[in-house]
């Protein structure tokens, strides 16, 4: 595999020689379903049960002697980590393996149940507002959410537990959250489409506000990595080592997190010096971080530099320079050099 699944030390400096198991996403239920095929229901949604079966099978293949189990996932898999990490820990305890430390790594699955830029009727998954999609989905999937989260909400309101900032405070296992501040999947469900026409001012303000809201939901997340880029998914990309927040790459932050958990198990010490695990960009617009992945025009496939991208987004250099108290030429210079 690539990124965190790679067995090359250059591409995966910390976990290249770990035992890895990849579970394909075939259940379409955000890993929450427990609904088998029946006479009335021709579809099976069994994501939650698939994970349990895989854990059972792996115990006989060496998992029983593991010190750490890292449950990782991207996009729907990232949300699936939040929904399943405590259940996996409980399952291993019940099977008689309380010594295995279970941890989660949720990539691009920390969605917001925010107001859409333009409200649309729920005709399909793309036009459906995130809350409505999950609300309907849970019924089809017979979706399971963790008991501790469920207790926070009224009956019928379990959909809340699919949103990271609501479920995270209820989790027992340590979870590292990786999230682009301007996630493309979030923008799609919010009906902000960045193709073809330059972005209107309303959209531009909406996008910046999304970054602010997301940053806010992560402020109490102990271990997090949130670059100000427009993208989706990162841990299985081979460029995952290139992206930095405040001078720290994601593999380095994960290594720091791993070490801090190891140390705190030993003696409950304060965070390790010079080893940051709470990394969130503070600059305010997409791709203000110079290490962001390359942007491609969705129509032509051409690569764009930051200035071309911002112009395409309808970015007003004069106005922005004024807001930042800079000369326009100075702002353009800073953007093109990536400062």
């Amino acid at each position: 595999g690539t990124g965190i699944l790679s067995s090359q030390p250059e591409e995966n400096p910390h976990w290249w020689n770990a035992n890895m198991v990849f579970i394909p996403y075939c259940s379409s239920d955000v890993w929450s379903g427990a609904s088998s095929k029946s006479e009335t229901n021709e579809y099976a949604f069994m994501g939650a049960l698939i994970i349990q079966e895989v854990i059972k099978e792996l115990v006989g293949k060496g998992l029983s002697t593991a010190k750490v189990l890292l449950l990782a996932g991207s996009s729907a898999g990232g949300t699936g980590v939040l929904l399943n990490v405590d259940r996996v820990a409980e399952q291993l305890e019940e099977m008689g393996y309380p010594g295995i430390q279970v941890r989660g790594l949720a990539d691009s699955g920390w969605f917001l149940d925010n107001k859409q830029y333009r409200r649309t009727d729920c005709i399909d998954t793309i036009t459906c507002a995130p809350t409505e999609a999950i609300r309907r989905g849970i019924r089809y999937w017979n979706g399971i959410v963790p008991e501790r989260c469920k207790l926070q909400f009224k009956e019928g309101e379990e959909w809340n537990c699919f949103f990271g900032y609501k479920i995270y405070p209820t989790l027992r296992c340590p979870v590292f959250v990786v999230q682009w501040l301007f996630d493309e999947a979030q923008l799609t469900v919010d009906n902000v489409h960045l193709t073809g026409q330059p972005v209107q001012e309303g959209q531009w303000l909406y996008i910046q506000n999304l970054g602010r809201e997301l940053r806010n939901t992560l402020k109490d997340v102990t271990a997090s990595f949130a670059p100000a880029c427009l993208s989706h998914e990162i841990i299985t990309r081979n460029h995952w080592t290139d992206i930095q927040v405040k001078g720290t790459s994601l593999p380095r932050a994960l290594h720091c997190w791993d070490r801090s958990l190891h140390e705190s198990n030993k003696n409950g010490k304060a965070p390790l010096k010079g080893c940051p695990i709470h990394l969130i960009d503070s600059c305010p617009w997409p791709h203000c971080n110079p290490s962001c992945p390359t942007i491609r025009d969705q129509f032509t496939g051409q690569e764009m530099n930051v200035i071309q991208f911002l112009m395409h987004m309808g970015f007003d250099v004069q106005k922005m320079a004024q807001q930042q108290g800079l000369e326009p030429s100075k702002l353009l210079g800073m953007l093109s050099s990536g400062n």
Side-chain angles (χ1 to χ4, degrees), residues 172-245:
R172 286 199 167 111
C173 292
V175 175
F176 193 109
V177 176
V178 182
Q179 188 69 27
W180 302 107
L181 288 181
F182 306 97
D183 185 279
E184 287 172 323
Q186 177 80 54
L187 286 165
T188 300
V189 294
D190 286 340
N191 291 321
V192 176
H193 301 290
L194 303 173
T195 47
Q197 270 66 51
V199 171
Q200 298 147 345
E201 190 175 13
Q203 281 180 307
W204 177 237
L205 293 171
Y206 183 92
I207 291 167
Q208 285 183 283
N209 189 52
L210 173 70
R212 272 195 299 273
E213 283 186 15
L214 205 114
R215 195 182 291 119
N216 245 339
T217 64
L218 291 171
K219 64 177 188 296
D220 297 326
V221 174
T222 318
S224 47
F225 186 86
C229 310
L230 178 74
S231 195
H232 184 60
E233 301 190 349
I234 176 174
I235 60 172
T236 54
R237 304 286 157 102
N238 50 17
H239 64 246
W240 80 307
T241 51
D242 302 336
I243 318 298
Q244 298 196 343
V245 174

Side-chain angles (χ1 to χ4, degrees), residues 31 71-73 76-86 103-106 171 175:
W31 297 103
L71 188 68
T79 312
V81 166
L82 299 168
L83 290 168
N84 287 283
V85 68
D86 280 359
R103 303 170 187 170
L105 169 56
L171 296 178
V175 175

